[in-house]
Amino acid sequence: MDRGDVGQGGSRPMVVRVPVEPVESAVEADAVDAVARTASVVVRGPLFGVAAQGVGDEPRWRVVLAVTDGCPQQARDGLNSRLWFRAKDDARDRTERRALLAAVARLESERVDELEVAGTRYRVVRAEEYAGAGPDGIEQPRPTDPDPLFPDWNRAAKGPGVDDDLLLDPDAPVTPTQAVERLALRGLCYTGERFPEDVRSDAQRALDTHPDVLLLPPTFTVVEQTAARGWRPVSGPHANAHEARKSLDFTLTWMWPRLHGHIPADADPQADARTWTAKDGASAVPRTAELAAYAEAADALRAGRVNQLAFQDTVYRIARTRRLLRWGPDGPEGPRPSDTNGQDPARIHLPLDEDGRILAED
């Protein structure tokens, strides 16, 4: 097959639009600079989410569950919950509720990657996560990447979600650098001997069944590096760099002090390395030097848009991670036969009756 052909089984044409608006032009200039710095692409592996397509939406799909799950079954379980809550709270009548609950029942017992319910198609979709790398390692956030003007460090404050209301439109215009990246990554495929044969075969087949690629919005992940090993992720993807910094702040001040015994597991949930004081009888004992070091490292994150931090022989970095979703004649690629699942399908919620009432288990 000639992958350059347009039409059934071939690649879709791309519409390239040169940015003229000032902000768009700055983002494009940033991307050009990033291309010059990038010497290689580091591929981490697949991520999964769920997209939906309503009647008349073709060829567009909309992401309804972020493409951030580590295995297909996590995405199926997320769809299970979404349809269950829709049946409980939003079904228009008994007929729609029965259809939704029938879909839930399938998801509880089968590895279902596509469903049509009440006029909407739902599909578990697959994307490859990757990052650019240069002489300085994995790419960090770009100056024009989204970041709040006034960062909110309150742990209870909810930031933007990854893929919120994201429309997947294979015919949407792209900028010159996006076009170059899409063309360069069309042939991305697992080829090394360290990959099992079925993984390599599935990857090769996907070049024909889903010859096009769409680039999802960038995400931001905390990665770490020590003298003994290369970069590896510490947190999951976030919608902007500040949310990734917040996750590292939480790890340094709340999670690791408890994990390493500097704060008791049964301490006040609001206590952290900045505020914790132990009690010795009626008097407070000053926090330990270890806690002070954790707090000092976390405070350094708040000095500005800090994207790298050295602490206890480890370098932490906010990495700019990207995702590539393959696209074929029928839309986005789903899970491949060789993709592994971390768990089996199972019941997640209590059963409902036709009126949306929760039923007691037998």
Side-chain angles (χ1 to χ4, degrees):
M1 177 185 298
D2 182 356
R3 299 191 185 97
D5 291 343
V6 176
Q8 186 69 24
S11 297
R12 303 177 75 95
M14 277 192 289
V15 178
V16 180
R17 180 180 61 83
V18 177
V20 293
E21 189 270 332
V23 173
E24 279 188 322
S25 298
V27 171
E28 182 72 356
D30 234 4
V32 171
D33 291 342
V35 170
R37 294 192 301 268
T38 301
S40 61
V41 170
V42 180
V43 179
R44 182 184 176 196
L47 294 173
F48 303 88
V50 176
Q53 185 184 66
V55 176
D57 289 343
E58 302 88 346
R60 297 177 297 276
W61 292 70
R62 188 173 299 277
V63 174
V64 294
L65 293 173
V67 188
T68 56
D69 288 329
C71 79
Q73 190 57 45
Q74 288 177 292
R76 297 185 197 109
D77 289 346
L79 179 58
N80 181 329
S81 285
R82 183 181 181 88
L83 297 180
W84 186 90
F85 278 105
R86 182 177 165 189
K88 175 178 175 291
D89 300 326
D90 299 321
R92 291 169 293 186
D93 51 40
R94 286 183 171 184
T95 300
E96 182 173 280
R97 186 172 288 111
R98 280 195 294 267
L100 290 164
L101 292 177
V104 169
R106 286 192 65 193
L107 287 162
E108 289 175 343
S109 59
E110 304 174 37
R111 297 196 191 279
V112 183
D113 292 328
E114 184 159 342
L115 286 166
E116 184 167 345
V117 188
T120 300
R121 293 173 72 188
Y122 295 93
R123 178 179 296 175
V124 176
V125 298
R126 180 190 198 278
E128 295 284 357
E129 186 180 33
Y130 66 100
D136 188 38
I138 294 179
E139 183 184 10
Q140 300 180 50
R142 299 173 186 174
T144 52
D145 282 330
D147 233 352
L149 185 60
F150 301 104
D152 186 349
W153 293 93
N154 182 357
R155 288 200 296 266
K158 183 176 174 58
V162 175
D163 297 336
D164 278 355
D165 204 32
L166 176 62
L167 183 67
L168 304 176
D169 184 353
D171 298 325
V174 295
T175 68
T177 57
Q178 290 169 342
V180 168
E181 188 168 0
R182 283 172 59 167
L183 289 170
L185 294 174
R186 270 184 180 172
L188 183 67
C189 183
Y190 297 114
T191 57
E193 291 296 325
R194 66 190 182 95
F195 297 107
E197 183 178 353
D198 59 341
V199 171
R200 286 181 277 138
S201 297
D202 284 351
Q204 187 66 39
R205 188 179 306 110
L207 298 181
D208 289 330
T209 60
H210 296 79
D212 293 303
V213 298
L214 265 64
L215 304 179
L216 303 186
T219 53
F220 302 87
T221 304
V222 180
V223 296
E224 67 176 16
Q225 182 188 53
T226 66
R229 60 174 182 259
W231 296 104
R232 69 174 188 176
V234 176
S235 75
H238 300 273
N240 61 44
H242 175 66
E243 293 301 314
R245 295 182 199 106
K246 271 179 69 174
S247 74
L248 181 55
D249 180 276
F250 173 78
T251 299
L252 289 167
T253 61
W254 198 97
M255 188 172 71
W256 284 346
R258 284 168 170 78
L259 185 64
H260 297 299
H262 303 306
I263 296 178
D266 59 354
D268 182 341
Q270 299 303 315
D272 61 19
R274 294 185 177 94
T275 63
W276 169 253
T277 55
K279 295 289 185 180
D280 182 10
S283 60
V285 178
R287 65 181 179 177
T288 64
E290 289 85 357
L291 282 180
Y294 278 114
E296 182 179 355
D299 288 344
L301 287 171
R302 303 191 179 197
R305 295 189 175 187
V306 176
N307 294 322
Q308 186 160 300
L309 175 73
F311 178 63
Q312 293 184 345
D313 300 321
T314 301
V315 175
Y316 299 93
R317 173 176 290 188
I318 310 302
R320 186 183 199 270
T321 44
R322 288 128 85 176
R323 294 163 298 156
L324 172 157
L325 187 148
R326 301 204 72 90
W327 198 275
D330 192 37
E333 182 186 16
R336 298 173 184 173
S338 57
D339 289 326
T340 58
N341 291 281
Q343 66 261 23
D344 292 325
R347 174 183 287 181
I348 299 173
H349 301 285
L350 292 171
L352 299 174
D353 67 12
E354 288 186 334
D355 295 313
R357 292 186 293 258
I358 296 176
L359 301 173
E361 288 196 282
D362 296 336

